[in-house]
Amino acid sequence: MNLHEYQAKALLARAGVPVPRGSVVLAAGDIERAVSEVGGPVWVVKAQIHAGGRGKGGGVKVTRSPQDAAKAAHQILGMNLVTRQTGPKGKDVHRVYIEQGADIARELYFSVLLDRATSRVTLMGSTEGGMDIEEVAAHSPEKLVRVSIDPITGMQPFHARKLAFALGLKGSELKTGVPLMMAAYKAYMECDASLIEINPLAVTKDGNVIALDAKITIDDSALYRQSAINAMRDETEENAAELRAQRASINYVKLDGDIGCLVNGAGLAMATMDLIKHHGGEPANFLDIGGGAPKERVVEAFNIILADPNVKGILVNIFAGINRCDIIAEGVVAATKEVQMKVPLVVRLEGTNVEEGRRILADSKLSIIAADGLADAAEKIVSATRGVA
Ligand code: ADP
Ligand code: MG
């Protein structure tokens, strides 16, 4: 799960990371209050969307009077912001953060993340901050410094000093920079984050180090014990279909093809997509209904698949172990009636209660194309959807 910058900064501040004073605005009527609360003399007005590159896209404005700050906030709130991370459609801005402007001497890059190659939490830093870090990684990888942390000792001051020296921090900058890094690591651990990225980490002209931007990604598997963070979720930033699936305990990922897939088990769902592609088709989604799926979940899975206007046909592929073919079949029949299926439907059932499942489908008199085995199913759905407008 991703957080907004202002939420990330609140979590970081609580752990002891210095951030500018700021105030979030959710409605235009609140702008003047926020501007006076922040208090200047420089106000930075920042669009809150789950995407970076806001500065270059016009979503970050530095202003020097309360009037200009309010004007910028009115402009940004409600705008459609296109950045290199949003795609061409951009994102509508529903929240604006107004914060004090810092007097920047240098912009650095700093992050805490899980390095899967070493299985260790790793600090990453670069003197090339503020800009696209992917660019730096691609073109001058030597400018990215990594310090990996032994899980037995956890982060120690020497880890922070090593990175701070590599980033060129000196004197008073070290006195704020080193504790800042320690605090960021603490926040990473306490929040069950998988990424904390501070870009830029700014060195100010008076020799302090401060987080001017913040991105935090929380490990979804830990959300059950992070209820306060889970409550920060901004559903308007998430894919509606994926959110709906999550609520129904369905694993769903939207893709760009036109063949909807309803499968049990992540591995089988991957294999199903492979076979569809092998036979010349393109899957519209990954969908795993999980084990022991009740009828209602099967119906909801159909609803989610069919809400995608690209879908020209559906392949149901069930290898029932914990699941039961009869219950899946009941779900298929109920869904077909409920949503008035207009696209071809190929069903392959195997496993627990398969005879009963097949009988339910046959008795339903619905136009369901039965398949025998996975390859046959993939072939049938590809040919059934081919040429469908
Ligand atoms: P994004 O990464 O989405 O472009 P940032 O928060 O990094 O957004 O802001 C872009 C740039 O705006 C920063 O690199 C920095 O130069 C400037 N900036 C952001 N916040 C402040 C601030 N509080 N004070 C001064 N400059 C800022
Ligand atoms: Mg940034």
Side-chain angles (χ1 to χ4, degrees):
M1 182 181 109
N2 287 319
L3 297 171
H4 284 297
E5 174 196 1
Y6 78 92
Q7 297 167 328
K9 280 179 168 164
L11 292 174
L12 288 172
R14 207 178 61 193
V17 174
V19 299
R21 182 161 76 235
S23 180
V24 69
V25 169
L26 306 179
D30 214 20
I31 288 174
E32 274 70 20
R33 177 208 48 84
V35 169
S36 75
E37 212 173 277
V38 170
V42 178
W43 290 259
V44 182
V45 182
K46 312 179 79 173
Q48 299 296 290
I49 54 169
H50 286 187
R54 295 163 303 164
K56 279 188 188 142
V60 176
K61 290 269 182 332
V62 180
T63 62
R64 290 167 201 286
S65 74
Q67 293 77 21
D68 287 352
K71 200 172 138 201
H74 279 287
Q75 267 166 10
I76 292 175
L77 190 64
M79 84 184 279
N80 178 268
L81 181 57
V82 180
T83 80
R84 63 182 152 71
Q85 285 185 12
T86 60
K89 278 202 209 143
K91 283 193 159 186
D92 292 341
V93 180
H94 301 295
R95 304 180 189 195
V96 167
Y97 192 49
I98 304 177
E99 69 175 10
Q100 280 209 322
D103 209 359
I104 305 171
R106 303 196 302 280
E107 297 198 2
L108 310 173
Y109 173 91
F110 171 64
S111 62
V112 186
L113 53 94
L114 179 67
D115 180 349
R116 291 181 193 276
T118 57
S119 307
R120 287 184 175 194
V121 174
T122 299
L123 312 176
M124 232 161 70
S126 175
T127 51
E128 311 300 300
M131 58 167 89
D132 218 341
I133 199 64
E134 286 79 10
E135 271 307 92
V136 179
H139 298 113
S140 23
E142 75 287 352
K143 290 189 172 150
L144 264 181
V145 184
R146 281 168 221 262
V147 177
S148 100
I149 294 173
D150 190 318
I152 301 291
T153 65
M155 186 170 174
Q156 300 294 320
F158 79 86
H159 290 117
R161 282 197 297 271
K162 195 166 159 188
L163 186 60
F165 288 133
L167 295 180
L169 300 184
K170 297 183 195 67
S172 69
E173 299 163 4
L174 281 171
K175 289 210 178 77
T176 45
V178 168
L180 180 150
M181 291 176 189
M182 300 294 294
Y185 176 83
K186 182 166 171 265
Y188 182 94
M189 288 307 185
E190 284 175 357
C191 301
D192 286 313
S194 57
L195 170 74
I196 291 185
E197 185 176 68
I198 300 177
N199 187 25
L201 177 72
V203 180
T204 61
K205 292 197 177 132
D206 56 7
N208 283 313
V209 182
I210 178 169
L212 288 194
D213 190 8
K215 173 180 177 174
I216 297 187
T217 306
I218 308 291
D219 181 346
D220 286 336
S221 304
L223 285 174
Y224 75 95
R225 63 179 190 191
Q226 295 287 351
S227 52
I229 294 177
N230 199 22
M232 295 179 179
R233 182 185 287 271
D234 179 358
E235 297 192 342
T236 62
E237 290 284 340
E238 297 181 22
N239 179 297
E242 291 181 8
L243 200 65
R244 185 173 169 186
Q246 212 174 62
R247 288 207 188 99
S249 309
I250 294 167
N251 289 310
Y252 170 89
V253 180
K254 167 140 176 47
L255 300 169
D256 295 329
D258 54 13
I259 297 177
C261 306
L262 193 163
V263 189
N264 71 300
L268 189 60
M270 298 294 275
T272 305
M273 298 193 309
D274 280 348
L275 270 167
I276 288 172
K277 281 190 86 95
H278 179 72
H279 288 283
E282 286 292 335
N285 63 274
F286 167 95
L287 190 153
D288 165 19
I289 55 161
K295 186 174 116 185
E296 296 70 30
R297 199 193 296 169
V298 180
V299 174
E300 182 65 352
F302 272 102
N303 283 324
I304 291 166
I305 292 172
L306 286 168
D308 174 357
N310 294 337
V311 168
K312 288 189 202 156
I314 298 179
L315 171 54
V316 175
N317 184 19
I318 301 294
F319 196 97
I322 302 169
N323 277 301
R324 284 170 42 191
C325 286
D326 53 327
I327 291 182
I328 302 286
E330 278 174 10
V332 170
V333 172
T336 312
K337 288 183 176 155
E338 200 178 298
V339 301
Q340 293 173 359
M341 189 104 48
K342 292 193 185 68
V343 297
L345 173 63
V346 173
V347 179
R348 181 249 177 163
L349 293 178
E350 214 58 75
T352 311
N353 292 4
V354 65
E355 294 310 327
E356 180 66 4
R358 288 185 183 148
R359 193 189 55 72
I360 292 168
L361 292 184
D363 288 355
S364 73
K365 305 276 186 291
L366 294 163
S367 61
I368 292 169
I369 306 167
D372 192 15
L374 182 45
D376 182 49
E379 242 172 279
K380 279 182 169 150
I381 190 65
V382 172
S383 69
T385 52
R386 197 162 280 159
V388 178

